[in-house]
Each structure stands twice: as structure tokens, then as C-alpha cells.
């Protein structure tokens, strides 16, 4: 089960955070800082899976952005690694450049991961409600 | 009031802030604007404001004032409003707030909305943060949606059902009929989520598990279609169609086939097919293979398949990608217990991974290497592991050192190799080894008689190089003390003998005594070693001088030893040679557990040659090494260490030693407890005359009267517990000299903190009148510190209908009961 999804930049600022298991607000900042420190300090040739407390972190770097996913032990790490890449591809398809529209990203994330499990991985199907939404707004 | 800024602009503005304070200021300003806008009940811009609020919440600022606004948004009719409202609900609310219950009605209406997107929103939110009450209320709706033909809704409903089941497990049966045709869907999204739903149900309830076993053929078919079907652009990821679904199905198959032969058999083919046909050039293929391997390992697969799985893992190990190697090592660790031989084949690759740069890979490789060591490969593996020990980080050294010791003990091909290995570990990682390795090594050395000369020579050389590693120094000084004569005489078959003079040896040992690097324990070792050399070397005067210098040392330990050794020189010179003779071979006995302080005062006097041992010194036996050395390296650590060593002896065993002179049982270390303190003479007398402990251990302890009042008399009788002499077993006898019975008699006792008390059940709780019978009860008192036993007792009983209660203190315990 996926516990959380974080997007952080090189300086450690959180760009997106989504928790699928409730975590108190006060603890979130500390958790994010800790997780980020863990991932940022790893070198290029180290593996992308880190054991952190009682769960695992799978992280992937895209230019200046790190995507970190916290998963329970029972998940297939390589599969989650692929999922991260899938997510980035969806974002790529929708936005010309990522990140300025936070609520849209949340919507995409909702379409892909619900309640800690993967719902849909097909790019076009994920983006269908969003395109409908955009049409409604315009 | 001007229109509130859009979210995009807000983000841009905040990003321009250069300091934390600036950012906070901007956010506060914006928060104030949002709050006033909320107060104005402005419908048009509410959505925008809440979106901004969510962004600020993500940055860590409090946003609870937006919760009600989210609810208002959810209730609105516009889709954009609903969207943001639900998102806000998911992010800001959870079941701990009461506000969320207000959403229930909204969600219910939305679940029946005409637009599928709205229904989807509601399902998503319910699935994320629905509380158990909400789930109970809305489960029916979810179940209805699970049966619709709309695939968009169906997949969301499935995951929502997962959440409902998690919150309210009793509702699982409700979803059972809906799952019947979930798997016949074509839509992959629905398939995926239904597999998740089935997995969740199977994990939660074994009945469901057996029910769903019949779905195995269907799952196998779906998987087959996925692999065999050609290129499908919809689900393709790097050439493999829908790997996510494949992985999920494999996991469900794993759960279904776990202990079931039939299902496992049905799966064998497809697993083999997946394992062989999947392309491994990309990460995707490897992900699928990983899951396949895990499944093969868990179900009851045939051996051919298992070998295939392990080969896949072996191939992973050779892959350049770190992730894959890590994953392979982890799975091999899980399987090494069951498929040991198959994993052995990949031993060389695993050993190569020890040299990897990545910390997690190194740790896994180390654990796996230790698991793979056996009698055949011990030499090669040990070489690699020792090399690893040299170069690894400190956090690994302790684990590696203990692992090396264990492996060497189990599989050592020869004694010399064993000693060499241990010495190597001590020289490279000496400060990280566990404390009990020193006595272990000493015992090993004494046991290998033919290696004594070689050992002492090597240790001496090591000592010349480096005196900072304490365990090594301790072992070396002990050996030099024991076998110094071999060292000086220069006989050694195994190696080139070195020429050492007595003075040089004494120089080294004295150097240890004065060096800053030596701990007090080490100093104790070296002083005793010097003393032992007095019988083996000829330069006795020098030794006498050294010993007398330390008679006034500040360290109590050293001082005591030096004083006693001095006494040996002066008054008991005739005994010195016998005392300081060579140690016999020690055998390891099987008893484990902490050895307790034993009640002995003296040592047994064997009339067969062997050895006498140095008298135990009366001091608290807190330094295991210390005692160890005094007794000539007897490797029984007193207290706390759990080594397989000599049995904790009780009085009975010592009695045996008196009669039975073979020392294979080993002498027991004995700090005599608070026995009168005029040391050496008293104890040495004990050596030649009848051992005193005889009296102490076997004398009966006189009974005593603890309480006598109002006709109730309580007597205590004592016994020593066997085998634990720290435990005093007290039996109370309560008797009643009045004319009426004492009923409901309860005896309670309390002891000071340093003791432990255990009260067993009484024989009865009626004390018959006129001394016609007694009530007995057994108390066990553990007295590890040998302090004076005191007890406070409380008695309650009913005499002639009226309850009586009394407290008393018992201080008159006979000294033998607690000594």
C-alpha cells in the first residue's frame, strides 16, 4: 500500500504532498524534511530504494525534482518505481511544464492512486475527466 | 473588494520570497484576505480561495478555517466547486474532526448524481477518508455502483469497497455477490481494482480465501492473454502490456496458492511462461520477474520451477542496475533457508557484492554470505569476509566480527586456522568484538595443546605491533603468562621461531601496565601474567619488584592483586610453584544462562596432580575478566554473560568436586560473599585444610520464630535452593494455640528492594485451633546482593467471627540464611 507521495525540489521545498494514511500536520513537516534529507544525500549510483523506519522509500529524480513514494514492505519496489515514471509521463502529457497548477496535479494523482492503491495507469483514461473539466471551465 | 488573485499568481508570488519570514508574511496577508472573503459569503470566488488555502496548507500553515467552506463547495451544483470542495475535504478533513459527518448526505446525493464524474468524485472521497459510520451508511450505494456497467465508476467503486472493508470488516459479505463477474471485464482499470479488492478480501478472511480459490483458472487466463496478446497501445509500457496488472495478478495468485496444492499446480505453467518469456532489458520486465520469483517461492511449486526462480535471481545479481541487485539480494535472503543448495551456486556473485559501494547492498550481501557459509567453502568465504571486515564501515564491524566467530567455530577446518582467523579479527576489528570473545579464545587456545608455542609467538608479535586493541592485548598477556617459557625457549614447529629474552617479555608486559591505552581489566591481566612468569622465568627479582610497586597502586583491583602476590612471595613461597602451574584443558559444558555467584570460600584440593588455582579474592565479582584471570583464565564469567560455560554450581556440585577430582566440571569462580575479611591467609589456609565452604553450604540453617502474638505463632524454616544458592526457600508454619479456628488466614510478606520475593500458595487458609495442625506456605527469596534479609509480614484472619489484621517486622533471620 502506498503511504504517501511527495514531490520535492533540490532545496528541499515541498512542491506536492499527498498522504494516503493520515499523518498529523505537525509531524508532516518533520517527516518530509527527514525523508528528503535521506534521498538527497544519496549518490547517483546508489539504489533507489531506501529502508526508512518501518517502511520503504522509492525515489526517482527528474532534473531538479525528486519524487518520493513511501510504501509498505509488501509492495513490489520495482513496480512502484515504474509507477512513478508513469505518473511523470501523465503529467508531461498534460502540462507543457509541470507544477504551476497544483489542484490539477492533485486531480491527476487522484485518478491514478486512490486510497493507497493504483487505480488506473492508462494515460488517456487518466486525463479524460480532466479534459472534460477543462472544457467545462472554458 | 478586488477579485482575489488566482492560485497561479499566488504560487508565483510565494516563490519569489527569499526568506522564511517574507514567505510567512505573504501567506498571512493572503490568509487574511481569504478569511474576509469567506465571511462575505462570496460564492463566485470561494473555489479559488479554497484552492489557495490548500496550497498554503501543503506548505505547512494552518488552514482549519477552510473546512466549512469545503463543505459549502461540495454542496454547490457547479462541478468546479465540487471538485475543489472534495479535494479540500480529502486534504483537510479526516475522521477525527466532527465536521466530516456533515458530508455524508452530500456524498450520498452525489453518489446518485447523473454525471459520472461527480459520482467518481464522491467515491474517491469516500474511499479516502470515510469513517466507519459513513461507510456503514453508504456501503449499499457503493455496492450498487460496483455492479454498474460504467467502467469508470466500477473501478472507483472497487477501491472504495476496499476502504469500506478495511473500516468495517463485517460488511465484507455484502460485496461478495458483486465480485462474481468483476473478472470478466475487459477494461484494465476495472480488472486492476477488482484484483486489489479480491486481494484485500482474501487477506482479511480465510473463508473468502477458500471461496476465491476457484477463480485461479480465470486469473491464469487473464494473465495469459496479457502476455500473449500483441502490442496494445493503450497499456503498453516499454513493450510489455500492462505490467501493473500483471504484477497485481501475480500477487493475488501468490496469496491464493500459498498452502494449497491444487491451485499451485494450476499456476505452475503460467508462472514458468512468465518467467521465461518476459523481456529483461528494461526495469519493467524485471519488476514482473521479481514478482514472479516471489510467487514461486511462496506457493507449493515444483522444484524445477524453484530452480528457475533462483536462477532468475542470480541473473539479477549480475545486472548493472543497483536496484535490481538490491532486490535480488533481499529475496535470496528470504529463500536461503529453504533452498540452500540452489543459492550456493551464486555464492561468488554474492561475495562480489560485498565490495559494492552501496550501503544497503553491502549489508544484505554480508547477511547472505554468513548464511551461505558451510564446511566446504569456509576457507574461501572467510578470506573474503575478513577482507570485508578490514574495509567496511564501523557500523558493520560488530556484526561481521560476531558472524565470523560463529562461522569459524562451527566449521573450522583446523585449529591453527581457527586461531589465525580469530587473531586476524582481533587485530583488525578488535575494539568492536563482543566481550565474551576473549574467554572463548582463551579456552580455544588452551584446548589446542600442540599450538601453544605457535600461538604465543604470534600473539607476542602482534603485541609488539599494537597495544591499543584491548581484547587482543588481554588474550596475548594471558597467553604470555601461561606459556612464556615456550616463548623464551624458542621452540615452535609451525613458524620460524623468534628469539626473545625474558627481559624483553617482561618489558612488554610492564609496558602494558603503564600504558594509557590499557583499561583496568587489561592491567589486571598483565599483572597476573607477570606473576605467573615468576615460576617460568628465572628473573624473579624483577618480578618481585614490579609486584611490590603495584602494592600501592590507586586502582583497588591492582592493589589487591599486588598485595596478594606479594604475600605469595613472602609467606607462601613454597606454594607458589604449585599455584602458578599450567592451566588444564578447559571443556565447554552445555549450560547456558547467567551464572550466579557461588557460595564458596575456598577451592577444592585435588590430590591428583593437575593444578591448584589461585584463591578467589573477596571482592564483588563484577569484573568477569578479572575473576577469570585470577583463577588462571577460567572462562566462567560471573554474572550477566550468557556464554555456554561452566555450570553455575550450587553447594551440591562443589561437594562433588571434593570427592571427584576430574576437573572437567571445572572449578567454579567464587567470590566469597561477605565472609570476614582477613584475606589471603584465611583463604590459603582453606586450601590446605578442610575447605570452609563445607560448613557454610551444608550446615543446616536453624529455624526461627518470626511472629508470636495472640495465639498465632509463625515459624520459619530454611533451605537452600538447589541449584541456585542465592535463593533462600523459607517455609512458614502457622499454628494456632487459641480455642477457635482461625479462618480466612492470609499471609503476606514484603521485602526491601534489593530482594525478590515469590510466594507460593498456602496449604490451606484455616489454621486449626489448639495446635492441632499447621498451615504451611513456601516463600522463595532471591538475594543476589547477599544483604541482610528483613521482611515485613501482614497477617489477616478471622477469629470467632471478627476479622483480625496485624503487621510485624521480622529482623531476626539467622545469618546463614542470607549469606
Amino acid at each position: 500500500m502506498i503511504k504517501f507521495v511527495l514531490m520535492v525540489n533540490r532545496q528541499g521545498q515541498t512542491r506536492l504532498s499527498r498522504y494516503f494514511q493520515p499523518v498529523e500536520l505537525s509531524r508532516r513537516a518533520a517527516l518530509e524534511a527527514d525523508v528528503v534529507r535521506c534521498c538527497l544525500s544519496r549518490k547517483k549510483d546508489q539504489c533507489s530504494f531506501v529502508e526508512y523506519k518501518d517502511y520503504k522509500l522509492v525515489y526517482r529524480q527528474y532534473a531538479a525534482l525528486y519524487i518520493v513514494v513511501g510504501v509498505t514492505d509488501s509492495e513490489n519496489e520495482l513496480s512502484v518505481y515504474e509507477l512513478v515514471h508513469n505518473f511523470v509521463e501523465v503529467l508531461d502529457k498534460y502540462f507543457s511544464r509541470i507544477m504551476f497548477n497544483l489542484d490539477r496535479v492533485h486531480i491527476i494523482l487522484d485518478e491514478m492512486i486512490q486510497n493507497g492503491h493504483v487505480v488506473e495507469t492508462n494515460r488517456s483514461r487518466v486525463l479524460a475527466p480532466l479534459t472534460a473539466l477543462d472544457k467545462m471551465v472554458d | 473588494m478586488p477579485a482575489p488573485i488566482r492560485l497561479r499568481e499566488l504560487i508565483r508570488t510565494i516563490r519569489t520570497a527569499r526568506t522564511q519570514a517574507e514567505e510567512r508574511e505573504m501567506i498571512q496577508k493572503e490568509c487574511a484576505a481569504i478569511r474576509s472573503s469567506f465571511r462575505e459569503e462570496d460564492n463566485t470566488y470561494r473555489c479559488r480561495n479554497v484552492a489557495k488555502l490548500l496550497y498554503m496548507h501543503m506548505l505547512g500553515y494552518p488552514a482549519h478555517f477552510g473546512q466549512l467552506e469545503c463543505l459549502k463547495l461540495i454542496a454547490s451544483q457547479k462541478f468546479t466547486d465540487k471538485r475543489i470542495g472534495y479535494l479540500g475535504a480529502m486534504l483537510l478533513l479526516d475522521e477525527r474532526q466532527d465536521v466530516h459527518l456533515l458530508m455524508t448526505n452530500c456524498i450520498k446525493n452525489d453518489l446518485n448524481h447523473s454525471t459520472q464524474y461527480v459520482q467518481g468524485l464522491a467515491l474517491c472521497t469516500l474511499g479516502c477518508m470515510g469513517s466507519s459510520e459513513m461507510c456503514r451508511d453508504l456501503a449499499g450505494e457503493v455496492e450498487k455502483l460496483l455492479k454498474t456497467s460504467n467502467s469508470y465508476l466500477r473501478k472507483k467503486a472497487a477501491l472504495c469497497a476496499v476502504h469500506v472493508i478495511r473500516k468495517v470488516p463485517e460488511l465484507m459479505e455484502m460485496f461478495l455477490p458483486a465480485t462474481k463477474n468483476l473478472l470478466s471485464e475487459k477494461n484494465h482499470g476495472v480488472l486492476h481494482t477488482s484484483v486489489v479488492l479480491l486481494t484485500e478480501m482474501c487477506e482479511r478472511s480465510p473463508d473468502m480465501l477458500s471461496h476465491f480459490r476457484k477463480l485461479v483458472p480465470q486469473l491464469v487466463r487473464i494473465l495469459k492473454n496479457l502476455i500473449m496478446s500483441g502490442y496494445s497501445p493503450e497499456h503498453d509500457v516499454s513493450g510489455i502490456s500492462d505490467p501493473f496488472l500483471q504484477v497485481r495478478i501475480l500477487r493475488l495468485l501468490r496469496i491464493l496458492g500459498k498452502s494449497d496444492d491444487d491451485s499451485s499446480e494450476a499456476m505452475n505453467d503460467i508462472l514458468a511462461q512468465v518467467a521465461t518469456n518476459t523481456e529483461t532489458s528494461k526495469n519493467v520486465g524485471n519488476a514482473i520477474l521479481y514478482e514472479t520469483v516471489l510467487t514461486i517461492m511462496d506457493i507449493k511449486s515444483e522444484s524445477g520451477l524453484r530452480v528457475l526462480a533462483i536462477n532468475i535471481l542470480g541473473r539479477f545479481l549480475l545486472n548493472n542496475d543497483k536496484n535490481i541487485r538490491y532486490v535480488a539480494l533481499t529475496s535470496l535472503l528470504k529463500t536461503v533457508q529453504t533452498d540452500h543448495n540452489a543459492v550456493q551456486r551464486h555464492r561468488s556473485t554474492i561475495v562480489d557484492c560485498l565490495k559494492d559501494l552501496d550501503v544497503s547492498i553491502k549489508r544484505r550481501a554480508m547477511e547472505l554470505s554468513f548464511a551461505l557459509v558451510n564446511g566446504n567453502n569456509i576457507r574461501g568465504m572467510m578470506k573474503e569476509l575478513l577482507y570485508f571486515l578490514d574495509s567496511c564501515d564501523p557500523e558493520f564491524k560488530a556484526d561481521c566480527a560476531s558472524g565470523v566467530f560463529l562461522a569459524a567455530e562451527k566449521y573450522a577446518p583446523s585449529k591453527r586456522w581457527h586461531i589465525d582467523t580469530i587473531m586476524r579479527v582481533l587485530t583488525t576489528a578488535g575494539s568492536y568484538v563482543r566481550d565474551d570473545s576473549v574467554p572463548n579464545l582463551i579456552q580455544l587456545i588452551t584446548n589446542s595443546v600442540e599450538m601453544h608455542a605457535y600461538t604465543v609467538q604470534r600473539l607476542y608479535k602482534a603485541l609488539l605491533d599494537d597495544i591499543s586493541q584491548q581484547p587482543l592485548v588481554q588474550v596475548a598477556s594471558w597467553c604470555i603468562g601461561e606459556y612464556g617459557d615456550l616463548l623464551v625457549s624458542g621452540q615452535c614447529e609451525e613458524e620460524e621461531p623468534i628469539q626473545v629474552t625474558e627481559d624483553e617479555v617482561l618489558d612488554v608486559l610492564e609496558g602494558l601496565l603503564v600504558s594509557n591505552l590499557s583499561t583496568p581489566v587489561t592491567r589486571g591481566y598483565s599483572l597476573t601474567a607477570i606473576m605467573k612468569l615468576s615460576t617460568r622465568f628465572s628473573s624473579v627479582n624483577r618480578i618481585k619488584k614490579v609486584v611490590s610497586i603495584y602494592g600501592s597502586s590507586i586502582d583497588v583491583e591492582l592493589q589487591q592483586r599486588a598485595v596478594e602476590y606479594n604475600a605469595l612471595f613472602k609467606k607462601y613461597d613454597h606454594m607458589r610453584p604449585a599455584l602458578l602451574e599450567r592451566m588444564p584443558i578447559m571443556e565447554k559444558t552445555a549450560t547456558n544462562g547467567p551464572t550466579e555467584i557461588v557460595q564458596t570460600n575456598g577451592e577444592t584440593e585435588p590430590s591428583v596432580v593437575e593444578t591448584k588455582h589461585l584463591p578467589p579474592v573477596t571482592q564483588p565479582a563484577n569484573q568477569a575478566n578479572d575473576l577469570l584471570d585470577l583463577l588462571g583464565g577460567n572462562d566462567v564469567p560471573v554474572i550477566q554473560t550468557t556464554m555456554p560455560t561452566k555450570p553455575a554450581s550450587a553447594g551440591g556440585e562443589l561437594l562433588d568436586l571434593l570427592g571427584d577430582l576430574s576437573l572437567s566440571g571445572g572449578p567454579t569462580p567464587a567470590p566469597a560473599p561477605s565472609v570476614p575479611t582477613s584475606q589471603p591467609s584465611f583463604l590459603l589456609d582453606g586450601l590446605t585444610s578442610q575447605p570452609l565452604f563445607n560448613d557454610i553450604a551444608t550446615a543446616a540453617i536453624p529455624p526461627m520464630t518470626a511472629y508470636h502474638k495472640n495465639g498465632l505463632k509463625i515459624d520459619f524454616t530454611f533451605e537452600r535452593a538447589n541449584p541456585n544458592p542465592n535463593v533462600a526457600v523459607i517455609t512458614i508454619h502457622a499454628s494456632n494455640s487459641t480455642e477457635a479456628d482461625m479462618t480466612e488466614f492470609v499471609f503476606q510478606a514484603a521485602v526491601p528492594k534489593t530482594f525478590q520475593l515469590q510466594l507460593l500458595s498456602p496449604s490451606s487458609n484455616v489454621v486449626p485451633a489448639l495446635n492441632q495442625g499447621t498451615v504451611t506456605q513456601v516463600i522463595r527469596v532471591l538475594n543476589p546482593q547477599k544483604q541482610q534479609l528483613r521482611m515485613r509480614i501482614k497477617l489477616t484472619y478471622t477469629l470467632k467471627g471478627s476479622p483480625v489484621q496485624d503487621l510485624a517486622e521480622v529482623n531476626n533471620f539467622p545469618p546463614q540464611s542470607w549469606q
Side-chain angles (χ1 to χ4, degrees):
Chain A
M1 170 178 163
I2 299 178
K3 292 203 172 194
F4 56 81
V5 177
L6 291 178
M7 271 179 153
V8 268
N9 68 359
R10 274 268 183 75
Q11 280 83 35
Q13 292 175 319
T14 314
R15 292 277 174 243
L16 170 79
S17 76
R18 188 64 192 272
Y19 289 84
F20 296 101
Q21 251 185 3
V23 173
E24 274 171 31
L25 199 57
S26 48
R27 298 217 340 251
R28 280 190 198 186
L31 175 67
E32 280 163 30
D34 209 15
V35 163
V36 161
R37 208 185 12 246
C38 229
C39 296
L40 286 180
S41 59
R42 287 173 78 80
K43 298 194 282 283
K44 269 236 166 33
D45 52 353
Q46 285 179 318
C47 77
S48 311
F49 313 130
V50 186
E51 274 157 33
Y52 178 76
K53 291 194 190 157
D54 61 342
Y55 45 88
K56 284 194 252 222
L57 299 173
V58 179
Y59 72 91
R60 208 157 170 172
Q61 184 183 7
Y62 292 94
L65 204 58
Y66 282 84
I67 303 193
V68 185
V69 179
V71 288
T72 54
D73 271 333
S74 53
E75 286 283 336
N76 182 335
E77 300 96 332
L78 296 175
S79 178
V80 176
Y81 195 69
E82 274 307 311
L83 180 69
V84 170
H85 193 67
N86 200 353
F87 177 55
V88 170
E89 279 178 4
V90 172
L91 287 180
D92 234 354
K93 188 165 173 191
Y94 185 70
F95 298 108
S96 41
R97 47 187 179 138
I98 313 186
M99 262 345 304
F100 265 178
N101 229 333
L102 187 62
D103 52 338
R104 293 287 150 83
V105 180
H106 269 288
I107 295 176
I108 292 180
L109 194 56
D110 268 341
E111 289 291 318
M112 287 188 73
I113 304 178
Q114 185 184 323
N115 196 19
H117 295 282
V118 176
V119 181
E120 181 64 64
T121 52
N122 180 319
R123 278 198 285 275
S124 28
R125 288 217 204 109
V126 167
L127 293 175
L130 258 180
T131 31
L133 181 66
D134 286 342
K135 278 209 207 84
M136 266 191 251
V137 169
D138 297 336
Chain B
M1 158 145 195
I5 60 177
R6 297 173 146 258
L7 176 61
R8 229 172 287 193
E9 285 157 35
L10 176 65
I11 297 181
R12 220 172 274 149
T13 339
I14 291 186
R15 290 229 185 137
T16 59
R18 252 158 296 173
T19 68
Q20 186 80 314
E22 237 183 280
E23 181 183 300
R24 224 175 314 156
E25 211 184 288
M26 289 184 198
I27 296 222
Q28 271 170 357
K29 210 168 57 162
E30 191 54 41
C31 266
I34 294 181
R35 255 190 270 234
S36 47
S37 168
F38 282 162
R39 245 175 287 138
E40 286 173 20
E41 303 280 331
D42 186 350
N43 284 344
T44 36
Y45 293 116
R46 190 179 286 139
C47 155
R48 199 183 283 182
N49 284 331
V50 172
K52 284 186 283 186
L53 199 56
L54 291 178
Y55 180 72
M56 292 190 281
H57 170 85
M58 185 190 82
L59 288 178
Y61 297 94
H64 40 267
F65 55 87
Q67 285 167 3
L68 271 176
E69 302 300 318
C70 290
L71 291 181
K72 289 188 202 152
L73 281 175
I74 293 176
S76 126
Q77 288 307 315
K78 282 168 54 180
F79 181 66
T80 42
D81 283 355
K82 275 195 197 284
R83 174 69 250 186
I84 298 284
Y86 274 121
L87 182 63
M90 276 193 276
L91 291 179
L92 294 176
L93 294 174
D94 58 34
E95 26 184 78
R96 281 171 289 183
Q97 271 99 8
D98 300 323
V99 183
H100 79 284
L101 282 171
L102 297 172
M103 278 193 339
T104 316
N105 212 15
C106 281
I107 295 188
K108 186 167 191 160
N109 291 337
D110 284 336
L111 280 176
N112 294 324
H113 205 271
S114 44
T115 321
Q116 62 170 0
Y117 295 118
V118 173
Q119 287 174 299
L121 276 183
L123 279 172
C124 189
T125 311
L126 180 61
C128 254
M129 40 83 61
S131 64
S132 16
E133 294 91 26
M134 281 170 78
C135 287
R136 245 183 261 264
D137 289 337
L138 299 171
E141 309 284 329
V142 174
E143 201 241 338
K144 214 166 38 167
L145 285 173
L146 197 53
K147 296 195 199 141
T148 73
S149 47
N150 184 335
S151 46
Y152 178 78
L153 288 178
R154 235 174 156 189
K155 67 186 185 201
K156 293 201 183 239
L159 279 184
C160 195
V162 169
H163 182 87
V164 169
I165 291 179
R166 271 206 203 124
K167 284 283 171 189
V168 190
E170 299 94 41
L171 291 176
M172 212 184 323
E173 276 92 34
M174 193 165 95
F175 292 105
L176 195 50
T179 62
K180 275 203 206 331
N181 39 15
L182 269 180
L183 284 184
S184 37
E185 265 279 345
K186 289 268 184 314
N187 182 313
H188 281 213
V190 179
L191 275 178
H192 194 122
T193 52
S194 7
V195 171
V196 174
L197 177 59
L198 291 174
T199 314
E200 181 74 24
M201 283 175 153
C202 290
E203 274 173 359
R204 291 211 167 238
S205 136
D207 298 327
M208 292 284 174
L209 185 60
S210 17
H211 174 87
F212 284 127
R213 283 230 170 89
K214 58 183 198 286
L215 289 175
V216 170
Q218 216 173 355
L219 287 168
V220 168
R221 216 178 18 234
I222 298 177
L223 197 49
K224 201 166 197 153
N225 285 338
L226 277 177
I227 311 176
M228 300 312 243
S229 68
Y231 175 73
S232 112
E234 282 192 343
H235 301 112
D236 182 87
V237 179
S238 310
I240 300 186
S241 41
D242 212 344
F244 300 103
L245 183 57
Q246 288 191 32
V247 165
R248 270 285 166 193
I249 293 184
L250 283 167
R251 193 173 309 166
L252 182 57
L253 285 177
R254 178 156 85 231
I255 297 177
L256 288 176
K258 195 144 193 176
S259 331
D260 188 58
D261 289 325
D262 297 326
S263 330
S264 310
E265 219 177 289
M267 291 179 220
N268 272 332
D269 288 335
I270 191 68
L271 288 174
Q273 208 172 7
V274 172
T276 39
N277 284 353
T278 316
E279 214 184 274
T280 56
S281 50
K282 295 280 182 67
N283 186 41
V284 198
N286 289 324
I288 298 181
L289 282 177
Y290 178 44
E291 195 72 34
T292 317
V293 165
L294 287 177
T295 305
I296 294 179
M297 287 296 143
D298 264 353
I299 66 175
K300 292 192 188 285
S301 48
E302 51 184 24
S303 58
L305 206 51
R306 291 180 99 89
V307 170
L308 179 61
I310 298 206
N311 285 345
I312 293 179
L313 288 179
R315 256 198 338 257
F316 274 6
L317 278 179
L318 297 167
N319 197 312
N320 283 332
D321 190 345
K322 306 271 161 176
N323 298 337
I324 296 184
R325 271 196 279 182
Y326 172 82
V327 150
L329 285 173
T330 317
S331 348
L332 279 174
L333 198 56
K334 282 188 224 157
T335 61
V336 77
Q337 305 301 329
T338 43
D339 292 282
H340 194 93
N341 294 332
V343 182
Q344 281 283 356
R345 240 175 279 148
H346 302 283
R347 189 166 43 87
S348 44
T349 341
I350 294 174
V351 166
D352 278 334
C353 286
L354 280 174
K355 307 194 181 94
D356 199 292
L357 291 167
D358 186 306
V359 167
S360 358
I361 291 188
K362 269 204 273 211
R363 181 169 281 281
R364 287 272 180 284
M366 181 178 85
E367 288 168 5
L368 201 48
S369 309
F370 280 126
L372 284 179
V373 168
N374 66 18
N376 296 332
N377 55 29
I378 178 81
R379 282 191 196 260
M381 291 289 278
M382 201 49 84
K383 215 167 26 178
E384 293 288 336
L385 287 167
L386 287 174
Y387 182 67
F388 175 66
L389 186 63
D390 276 338
S391 52
C392 67
D393 303 324
E395 62 201 32
F396 288 131
K397 284 203 185 191
D399 290 331
C400 193
S402 341
V404 166
F405 282 149
L406 276 172
E409 204 172 295
K410 278 203 276 194
Y411 301 111
S414 76
K415 290 226 166 109
R416 170 171 173 174
W417 183 92
H418 195 173
I419 292 181
D420 277 344
T421 312
I422 298 194
M423 277 204 52
R424 176 92 185 271
V425 173
L426 285 178
T427 41
T428 48
S431 11
Y432 300 98
V433 298
R434 281 203 341 253
D435 295 328
D436 59 355
S437 56
V438 173
N440 272 337
L441 180 55
I442 290 181
Q443 197 213 31
L444 178 64
I445 292 176
T446 49
N447 280 345
S448 44
V449 178
E450 64 280 4
M451 302 289 307
H452 285 166
Y454 168 71
T455 316
V456 71
Q457 193 166 300
R458 281 209 59 187
L459 284 171
Y460 179 72
K461 278 198 262 191
L463 209 53
L464 285 178
D465 284 330
D466 172 22
I467 56 172
S468 62
Q469 313 247 33
Q470 296 304 303
L472 178 64
V473 170
Q474 287 165 5
V475 174
S477 40
W478 188 91
C479 281
I480 294 178
E482 276 293 303
Y483 310 119
D485 47 338
L486 290 177
L487 181 60
V488 176
S489 66
Q491 13 157 272
C492 176
E493 305 96 34
E494 310 267 347
E495 245 189 16
E496 199 50 48
I498 56 177
Q499 302 301 332
V500 182
T501 66
E502 294 182 1
D503 279 328
E504 284 173 357
V505 174
L506 286 173
D507 280 340
V508 168
L509 286 175
E510 278 183 52
L512 285 177
L513 275 174
V514 299
S515 158
N516 284 338
L517 296 166
S518 307
T519 62
V521 173
T522 314
R523 294 212 176 101
Y525 265 94
S526 37
L527 188 58
T528 308
I530 293 181
M531 187 60 194
K532 285 193 209 166
L533 288 176
S534 69
T535 48
R536 294 157 174 64
F537 282 1
S538 49
S539 42
V540 183
N541 288 329
R542 182 173 171 183
I543 295 180
K544 269 198 207 167
K545 223 176 8 158
V546 170
V547 167
S548 55
I549 292 177
Y550 280 90
S552 45
S553 149
I554 298 182
D555 184 350
V556 177
E557 170 61 31
L558 279 183
Q559 188 187 65
Q560 196 154 26
R561 289 187 191 214
V563 163
E564 286 164 13
Y565 295 157
N566 249 339
L568 265 187
F569 274 124
K570 300 204 178 83
K571 284 202 321 184
Y572 298 97
D573 209 31
H574 54 281
M575 296 175 75
R576 197 163 42 86
L579 271 178
L580 300 175
E581 255 190 27
R582 278 253 213 284
M583 289 291 299
I585 297 183
M586 291 181 253
E587 278 175 25
K588 267 195 182 170
T589 51
T591 51
N592 273 336
T595 57
E596 280 88 21
I597 310 176
V598 175
Q599 269 282 51
T600 57
N601 264 342
E603 285 295 316
T604 64
E605 182 177 337
S607 57
V608 178
V609 176
E610 299 307 284
T611 61
K612 296 243 173 79
H613 301 276
L614 288 178
V617 187
T618 59
Q619 45 160 335
N622 284 326
Q623 298 155 326
N625 287 331
D626 173 63
L627 262 189
L628 228 143
D629 196 33
L630 281 180
L631 297 173
N634 190 341
D635 65 339
V636 183
V638 183
I639 323 183
Q640 278 132 15
T641 50
T642 53
M643 281 172 40
T645 55
K646 309 296 178 291
S649 48
E653 275 180 287
L654 285 172
L655 281 178
D656 284 343
L657 279 175
L658 256 193
D660 165 348
L661 303 169
S662 87
L663 287 170
S664 56
T668 50
S674 45
V675 146
T677 50
S678 64
Q679 291 13 330
S681 50
F682 180 71
L683 293 170
L684 286 174
D685 281 335
L687 269 184
T688 46
S689 53
Q690 188 63 272
L692 287 175
F693 80 89
N694 219 351
D695 294 335
I696 291 190
T698 57
I701 306 168
M704 57 173 261
T705 304
Y707 175 86
H708 190 124
K709 209 157 99 174
N710 293 338
L712 177 62
K713 178 157 170 266
I714 300 208
D715 288 322
F716 282 10
T717 53
F718 300 91
E719 276 157 34
R720 266 286 148 214
N722 234 339
N724 184 347
N726 274 351
V727 176
V729 179
I730 305 176
T731 313
I732 67 156
H733 305 266
S735 55
N736 171 6
S737 55
T738 65
E739 293 162 348
D741 289 343
M742 293 177 176
T743 52
E744 290 166 49
F745 176 77
V746 174
F747 174 87
Q748 289 166 314
V751 288
K753 282 205 187 103
T754 48
F755 303 89
Q756 280 175 26
L757 188 67
Q758 187 188 16
L759 219 53
L760 305 177
S761 32
S763 58
S764 94
N765 57 356
V766 176
V767 191
L770 297 173
N771 290 331
Q772 281 166 12
T774 57
V775 168
T776 52
Q777 190 166 4
V778 176
I779 309 175
R780 294 164 64 93
V781 179
L782 176 66
N783 184 0
Q785 295 184 15
K786 301 277 175 212
Q787 291 189 3
Q788 179 179 12
L789 184 56
R790 295 175 313 167
M791 201 186 274
R792 189 167 284 173
I793 59 179
K794 176 173 169 185
L795 306 155
T796 37
Y797 54 90
T798 306
L799 182 62
K800 294 181 195 159
S802 49
V804 180
Q805 204 183 65
D806 200 7
L807 285 168
E809 225 186 272
V810 184
N811 281 329
N812 53 338
F813 283 96
Q816 299 98 313
S817 64
W818 42 267
Q819 280 183 343

